[in-house]
Amino acid sequence: MSAYQAFDNEMAIEYINNLGGIFPPDAQLSCYEFGDGNLNLVFRVTDQHNHSVILKQALPYARCVGESWPLTLDRARIEANALLRHGKVCPTHTVQVIHHDSVQAVTILEDLGHLRILRGELNAGRTFANLGRDVARYLATTSFYHSDFYLSAVEKKSLVQTFTNPELCAITEELFFDDPYQDSERNHYPDALSPEVSKLHRNKALKLAIAQLKTRFLSSPQALLHGDAHSGSLFVDDTTTKLIDPEFAFFGPIGFDLGSFIGNLLLNFCAQHGRINEPSKRRDIHTYLLRTIDICLSEFEQQWLSLCAQQGKDSTLLVPGYAEHFLNDVFQDAIGYCGCEMIRRTIGLAHVSDLDEIQDVKARLRAQRLALEVGEQLILHARSCHNKDACYQLIISVLQ
Amino acid sequence: MSAYQAFDNEMAIEYINNLGGIFPPDAQLSCYEFGDGNLNLVFRVTDQHNHSVILKQALPYARCVGESWPLTLDRARIEANALLRHGKVCPTHTVQVIHHDSVQAVTILEDLGHLRILRGELNAGRTFANLGRDVARYLATTSFYHSDFYLSAVEKKSLVQTFTNPELCAITEELFFDDPYQDSERNHYPDALSPEVSKLHRNKALKLAIAQLKTRFLSSPQALLHGDAHSGSLFVDDTTTKLIDPEFAFFGPIGFDLGSFIGNLLLNFCAQHGRINEPSKRRDIHTYLLRTIDICLSEFEQQWLSLCAQQGKDSTLLVPGYAEHFLNDVFQDAIGYCGCEMIRRTIGLAHVSDLDEIQDVKARLRAQRLALEVGEQLILHARSCHNKDACYQLIISVLQ
């Protein structure tokens, strides 16, 4: 196969057989496709001993927005290379790449089927003690080693070129920063939320803050980001945390990933009001989510400062106090992007099941209103937080 | 000629004859080389009717730092393409490209020999009424049309790749932000300045500010800059202002060019203390330089806001008030980079004749000390300026 072809089950098996080396020569392979099919095909290929790998193939369009949003297959190259680079510095929390083929836009990955996707687990009220620490380590390590503190400017400029990802960035630019703050056909929300949405559209201070956050998203290549670090991109169990699916990877503001992750925890926080009726159980998951955010911020800071001290290379940036100053900007960005994520997941194109699957209509509306309100307040007050603790306190105060 | 060869006079003439179309077929060409030879050969090719063009050819090394600093010829491509892009939106103030050949690293340019280089004119005490306005128009126009306010993110990312200029940026990174604030073999200054230099090296607040300015230089691709907008890159007469030599062009913080230009005016301001003895004459040139800075800042702001209003495309960034907020960051950056330029041109590798050619040793030292002091104060207080007028007032106050 020399030209791109979307695979079916048989083609996926044939591809792996032709490749060789993935399974033993006598392997008898079976296969099924189980992706949500929005952007990619995802096959599980298993042999007679129940060993398996994942074969992921990019589709040349985004199905959720119809054929009208064609997408370059180049994102498969970007995703595989982001995983390879992140995996090199943080193998513990990065899904492993076994093979990549940019012509077929195919990546073969370790099968994480023994783990569960974080979003579903949180929705079911299950908690993971290491989550905040692990995600912080992944984000701090992968961003530090791709930042100006570590890379030479020449190396970094070359990587920025390699990871230029205009089409997938454009999706984020429009869905994150444009649509929710203006009338757009892609927005969707219940009529009952219209007053809140109109209020957002009239809030001039909010729109100024959004312009600033969009500018930094567009023009602040601080490090190689995951680019889509939401609860659906995280595989977990009690001892393991793995990030998957960085097809939106690009060099951007470090706070973007941190904010996306925290935003998804806070969306779940808001949703639990409509999901768990028993007050003590709800309190437990709320406490867990806040504790996870607190640990994530602290661990991120500690890891970054420790990496600067041990691995930092740019003597001008390593002047005492500058890393702390830099991180404070990262935390302010994170709070802002966290707020954006909460708003766009409530009224924009791509929603979260945390909120949308709340059965009771009134409870769902209350949770959605809370998510909008929390998101708005975080965006408005992010720049007043002058350290990590102030960021955490802001989150606590807007939830009350 | 298929492989690169450094030209001599005859080869330059032969090249132009072979190219055709530059001069009439019967032209009899003469040629001489008059570049300073640090980075490039510069030939003037003239016919029997005294029509002339400039042929500029990049050399594969930077002569001023010895053969130890080899430079890619790719900078000739970047320079020619920056001139073409800047010339398209601001032809009045951009030298015209007639032909470019990236194999020979040759660019043929209109001859601006009827104009004079600004640095020499200022050194001689000559003034140009339109200078501040013209440079502001060039900087505002070329930056606006290459910013997120005008370009789509997809267009801009593609241009950022085209204008990735790692080697020449590395020169600026080291000479601007590293060397002057630490011991470096490339620094040079009279022994008598050692106490002032030591004081700079011990100033922690200054080094924090430098780290921030370097970070923005490394990772803030706001627009396609000239990259080297000093008084030696400006050709002027009473009615004309033309920018030349953007081989350092890259996507960076807009305030960098503005700060470089203002920094060179302030270096001249400091130098005039040692150049002109007659108080009233010195006062005149001082008044002129400050007035030029004031006009430049005002015109830059006005042009940018007017371009945003008339030509802006990104609706999220065009929310009322955001352009003003964005410009304030640009002005703060400009003041900081202005201070960097003053310091590095006084004690770093590449000096300015404004200071170095002051005959009287004591007067020269006084001017150098003033330049260092003014540069330091501008860097330290840049972030406290919350609008253009505050920036100008800061400049006035540190000069007193």
Side-chain angles (χ1 to χ4, degrees):
Chain A
M1 284 175 284
S2 61
Y4 173 84
Q5 263 190 291
F7 285 4
D8 58 22
N9 291 343
E10 281 163 23
M11 291 160 79
I13 290 176
E14 190 191 344
Y15 181 87
I16 285 187
N17 277 332
N18 287 342
L19 201 60
I22 309 284
F23 290 98
D26 63 346
Q28 290 163 29
L29 301 182
S30 63
C31 178
Y32 63 97
E33 204 277 330
F34 66 105
D36 61 5
N38 283 338
L39 297 163
N40 306 290
L41 298 170
V42 185
F43 301 91
R44 173 169 282 127
V45 181
T46 309
D47 73 7
Q48 68 271 36
H49 308 297
N50 222 21
H51 296 142
S52 59
V53 296
I54 298 298
L55 185 151
K56 180 173 177 178
Q57 184 180 37
L59 290 166
Y61 49 81
R63 210 181 287 172
C64 65
V65 283
E67 305 268 337
S68 62
W69 207 328
L71 285 175
T72 166
L73 298 171
D74 188 48
R75 70 186 192 279
R77 173 190 67 80
I78 287 183
E79 177 176 5
N81 282 289
L83 287 173
L84 288 168
R85 291 207 63 99
H86 283 187
K88 196 169 175 195
V89 294
C90 191
T92 312
H93 302 303
T94 309
V95 63
Q96 195 195 338
V97 174
I98 298 166
H99 169 80
H100 174 66
D101 168 349
S102 56
V103 173
Q104 292 302 332
V106 156
T107 306
I108 300 177
L109 298 154
E110 68 171 314
D111 188 355
L112 299 176
H114 58 294
L115 306 178
R116 306 295 294 271
I117 290 174
L118 177 64
R119 189 179 306 287
E121 298 303 286
L122 291 178
N123 283 346
R126 284 187 283 273
T127 63
F128 303 87
N130 301 334
L131 178 67
R133 183 200 67 181
D134 288 355
V135 172
R137 287 183 181 176
Y138 168 84
L139 294 179
T141 308
T142 56
S143 64
F144 172 80
Y145 282 109
H146 295 90
S147 76
D148 293 318
F149 288 79
Y150 181 77
L151 293 174
S152 77
V154 172
E155 291 169 323
K156 181 151 170 268
K157 285 180 173 77
S158 163
L159 286 173
V160 168
Q161 291 193 301
T162 301
F163 288 98
T164 296
N165 196 354
E167 290 192 355
L168 273 77
C169 282
I171 295 177
T172 306
E173 286 148 17
E174 295 176 27
L175 299 187
F176 234 83
F177 303 109
D178 297 344
D179 288 0
Y181 308 97
Q182 61 192 25
D183 292 325
S184 163
E185 283 187 2
R186 286 181 299 228
N187 290 336
H188 70 105
Y189 47 83
D191 286 345
L193 277 184
S194 293
E196 284 79 6
V197 173
S198 297
K199 191 170 143 266
L200 285 183
H201 290 194
R202 289 192 309 269
N203 189 331
K204 289 177 186 170
L206 184 73
K207 292 173 98 164
L208 276 175
I210 294 296
Q212 198 173 4
L213 289 162
K214 183 176 181 185
T215 297
R216 288 175 75 81
F217 186 86
L218 289 168
S219 291
S220 188
Q222 292 178 334
L224 177 61
L225 307 188
H226 179 286
D228 197 25
H230 63 83
S231 310
S233 298
L234 273 157
F235 269 107
V236 292
D237 71 7
D238 289 338
T239 57
T240 312
T241 310
K242 295 271 187 191
L243 272 286
I244 62 164
D245 289 353
E247 55 202 320
F248 285 78
F250 75 113
F251 274 77
I254 294 169
F256 184 75
D257 280 349
L258 195 57
S260 299
F261 174 64
I262 295 172
N264 275 268
L265 297 185
L266 289 179
L267 283 163
N268 192 265
F269 186 105
C270 296
Q272 295 297 355
H273 280 289
R275 287 179 163 272
I276 303 180
N277 289 322
E278 199 185 314
S280 74
K281 272 199 176 173
R282 196 165 64 215
R283 202 161 46 236
D284 284 352
I285 182 99
H286 276 170
T287 303
Y288 165 75
L289 290 167
L290 292 179
R291 175 102 186 100
T292 301
I293 292 170
D294 192 18
I295 290 170
C296 181
L297 292 170
S298 298
E299 181 73 20
F300 182 91
E301 181 178 59
Q302 199 179 313
Q303 278 285 320
W304 236 90
L305 294 179
S306 155
L307 285 165
C308 271
Q310 290 162 26
Q311 303 288 333
K313 288 192 180 170
D314 185 306
S315 64
T316 296
L317 303 192
L318 291 170
V319 57
Y322 182 62
E324 288 82 351
H325 173 93
F326 180 85
L327 280 186
N328 189 53
D329 277 352
V330 169
F331 288 129
Q332 288 187 355
D333 287 350
I335 296 299
Y337 291 124
C338 168
C340 295
E341 173 74 351
M342 296 184 74
I343 290 173
R344 73 111 174 182
R345 292 290 195 181
T346 306
I347 61 171
L349 174 71
H351 286 206
V352 289
S353 59
D354 314 45
L355 288 170
D356 278 17
E357 289 175 2
I358 296 171
Q359 294 299 313
D360 182 85
V361 175
K362 284 187 182 170
R364 187 164 69 233
L365 266 178
R366 277 198 303 275
Q368 290 172 319
R369 287 198 180 104
L370 180 62
L372 289 181
E373 177 66 19
V374 168
E376 180 180 355
Q377 292 302 315
L378 291 178
I379 294 167
L380 287 172
H381 298 294
R383 299 282 160 210
S384 67
C385 298
H386 291 301
N387 57 46
K388 167 188 72 66
D389 295 333
C391 289
Y392 184 67
Q393 286 310 318
L394 174 63
I395 291 171
I396 300 294
S397 72
V398 300
L399 288 171
Q400 279 165 357
Chain B
M1 285 174 284
S2 61
Y4 173 84
Q5 263 189 292
F7 286 4
D8 57 22
N9 292 343
E10 281 163 22
M11 291 160 79
I13 290 176
E14 190 192 344
Y15 181 88
I16 286 187
N17 277 331
N18 288 342
L19 201 61
I22 309 285
F23 289 98
D26 64 344
Q28 289 163 29
L29 302 182
S30 63
C31 178
Y32 64 97
E33 204 277 330
F34 66 105
D36 62 4
N38 284 337
L39 297 162
N40 306 290
L41 298 170
V42 185
F43 301 91
R44 172 168 285 125
V45 181
T46 309
D47 73 7
Q48 68 271 35
H49 307 297
N50 220 23
H51 296 142
S52 59
V53 296
I54 298 298
L55 186 152
K56 180 173 177 178
Q57 184 180 38
L59 289 166
Y61 49 81
R63 211 181 286 171
C64 66
V65 285
E67 304 268 337
S68 62
W69 207 328
L71 285 175
T72 166
L73 297 171
D74 187 47
R75 69 186 192 280
R77 172 189 67 79
I78 287 182
E79 177 176 4
N81 282 288
L83 286 174
L84 288 168
R85 290 207 63 99
H86 283 186
K88 196 170 174 194
V89 294
C90 192
T92 311
H93 302 304
T94 310
V95 63
Q96 195 195 339
V97 173
I98 298 166
H99 169 80
H100 174 66
D101 168 349
S102 55
V103 173
Q104 293 301 334
V106 157
T107 306
I108 300 176
L109 298 155
E110 68 171 314
D111 188 354
L112 299 176
H114 57 293
L115 306 178
R116 306 296 293 270
I117 291 174
L118 177 64
R119 190 181 304 288
E121 298 304 287
L122 292 178
N123 284 346
R126 284 187 282 274
T127 63
F128 303 88
N130 301 334
L131 178 66
R133 184 200 67 182
D134 288 353
V135 172
R137 287 184 181 175
Y138 169 85
L139 294 179
T141 308
T142 56
S143 64
F144 172 80
Y145 282 109
H146 295 90
S147 76
D148 294 319
F149 289 78
Y150 181 77
L151 292 175
S152 77
V154 171
E155 291 169 324
K156 180 150 170 269
K157 285 180 174 77
S158 163
L159 286 173
V160 167
Q161 292 193 302
T162 300
F163 289 97
T164 296
N165 196 354
E167 289 191 356
L168 273 78
C169 282
I171 295 177
T172 306
E173 286 147 18
E174 295 176 27
L175 299 188
F176 235 83
F177 304 110
D178 297 345
D179 288 0
Y181 308 97
Q182 61 192 25
D183 291 327
S184 163
E185 284 186 3
R186 287 181 298 227
N187 291 336
H188 69 105
Y189 47 83
D191 285 345
L193 276 184
S194 293
E196 284 78 8
V197 173
S198 298
K199 191 169 144 267
L200 286 183
H201 289 193
R202 289 192 310 270
N203 188 332
K204 289 178 187 170
L206 184 73
K207 291 172 97 163
L208 276 175
I210 295 295
Q212 198 174 2
L213 289 162
K214 183 176 180 185
T215 296
R216 288 177 75 82
F217 186 86
L218 289 167
S219 291
S220 189
Q222 291 177 334
L224 177 61
L225 307 188
H226 179 286
D228 197 23
H230 62 83
S231 312
S233 299
L234 272 157
F235 269 107
V236 292
D237 71 9
D238 289 337
T239 57
T240 313
T241 310
K242 295 271 187 190
L243 273 287
I244 63 163
D245 288 355
E247 53 202 322
F248 285 77
F250 75 114
F251 274 77
I254 294 168
F256 183 76
D257 280 349
L258 195 55
S260 299
F261 173 64
I262 295 172
N264 275 268
L265 297 185
L266 290 179
L267 283 162
N268 192 266
F269 185 105
C270 297
Q272 295 296 355
H273 281 289
R275 287 180 163 272
I276 303 181
N277 289 321
E278 198 185 316
S280 74
K281 272 200 177 171
R282 195 164 65 215
R283 202 161 46 234
D284 284 350
I285 181 101
H286 276 170
T287 302
Y288 165 75
L289 290 166
L290 292 178
R291 174 102 186 101
T292 301
I293 292 171
D294 191 18
I295 291 170
C296 181
L297 292 170
S298 298
E299 181 72 22
F300 182 92
E301 182 178 60
Q302 198 180 314
Q303 278 285 320
W304 236 90
L305 295 178
S306 154
L307 285 165
C308 271
Q310 290 162 25
Q311 303 288 334
K313 289 194 181 170
D314 185 307
S315 64
T316 297
L317 303 192
L318 291 171
V319 57
Y322 182 63
E324 289 82 351
H325 172 94
F326 180 86
L327 281 187
N328 189 52
D329 278 353
V330 169
F331 288 129
Q332 288 187 355
D333 287 350
I335 296 299
Y337 292 124
C338 168
C340 294
E341 173 74 352
M342 297 184 74
I343 290 174
R344 72 111 174 181
R345 292 290 195 181
T346 306
I347 61 171
L349 174 70
H351 287 204
V352 289
S353 58
D354 314 44
L355 289 170
D356 278 17
E357 289 175 2
I358 297 171
Q359 294 299 313
D360 182 86
V361 175
K362 285 187 181 169
R364 186 164 69 235
L365 266 178
R366 277 197 303 275
Q368 289 171 320
R369 287 198 180 103
L370 180 61
L372 288 181
E373 177 66 18
V374 168
E376 180 181 356
Q377 292 303 315
L378 291 178
I379 294 166
L380 286 171
H381 299 293
R383 299 283 160 211
S384 67
C385 299
H386 291 301
N387 56 48
K388 168 188 71 66
D389 294 334
C391 290
Y392 183 67
Q393 286 310 318
L394 174 63
I395 291 171
I396 300 293
S397 72
V398 301
L399 287 172
Q400 278 164 356

